[in-house]
Amino acid sequence: YSRRHGAIYCSNFYTADVKVIDCATNHVSATVPVGERPRAICYNPTGDKVYCANTQDNTVTVIDAATNTALATPAVGKQPGVLAVNAPGNKVYCANAGDSTVSVIDGASNSVVATVKVGRNPSALYYNAANDRLYCASRQANRVAHYRSLPAHL
């Protein structure tokens, strides 16, 4: 959801696109093509961008929320399915279930700047700005781990 644009973004798994829904009219105002089997979606207010994890082709599509156009599609780990935003740091974290990693995407360059190994099959992410920690739940490891600044220089 983007309060700035009054829009909701919805990934469509079978049609490989993101629908932009105008909150004032409740109608689709734009359709943005993305990668195959899009799943998770998030909005980063720092860069005014929407990120969509594309599970089948192991990418994340970066969308300009002002123009509803794709800006970049960086490659990430295998089977990306969960995203979290670090707005103060202008970073997006992408959990990749297929290789048990988290990719760190820089919001300024729209590129992956780090990949961090985490527990098996990461299934949920949450970034807490109050303590600068990313929490990652790993389904097959039955645990939640936390990471500070993934790594500290990011």
Side-chain angles (χ1 to χ4, degrees):
Y1 168 72
S2 166
R3 183 181 307 260
R4 181 182 300 169
H5 301 289
I8 295 172
Y9 303 88
C10 179
S11 61
N12 295 289
F13 190 78
Y14 294 108
T15 57
D17 59 33
V18 169
K19 301 285 190 218
V20 182
I21 302 168
D22 184 309
C23 292
T25 65
N26 292 324
H27 289 93
V28 174
S29 60
T31 300
V32 182
V34 295
E36 290 298 315
R37 303 292 191 242
R39 289 190 80 112
I41 200 160
C42 68
Y43 173 72
N44 181 358
T46 302
D48 196 27
K49 297 174 186 170
V50 176
Y51 296 78
C52 180
N54 306 308
T55 303
Q56 189 164 326
D57 51 355
N58 304 322
T59 61
V60 172
T61 301
V62 183
I63 300 168
D64 182 321
T67 63
N68 294 320
T69 56
L71 298 172
T73 307
V76 293
K78 293 180 183 171
Q79 297 176 326
V82 182
L83 299 170
V85 175
N86 170 349
N90 197 17
K91 301 283 188 281
V92 172
Y93 304 111
C94 177
N96 308 300
D99 59 7
S100 300
T101 62
V102 170
S103 299
V104 182
I105 300 170
D106 177 70
S109 67
N110 300 324
S111 62
V112 174
V113 293
T115 302
V116 179
K117 193 78 172 159
V118 295
R120 283 184 62 204
N121 198 0
S123 55
L125 291 174
Y126 175 75
Y127 176 75
N128 184 348
N131 65 3
D132 190 29
R133 292 192 186 272
L134 179 73
Y135 295 85
C136 179
S138 296
R139 186 179 340 201
Q140 290 179 324
N142 277 337
R143 69 182 186 128
V144 174
H146 60 89
Y147 305 90
R148 185 170 188 90
S149 295
L150 270 179
H153 67 282
L154 299 176

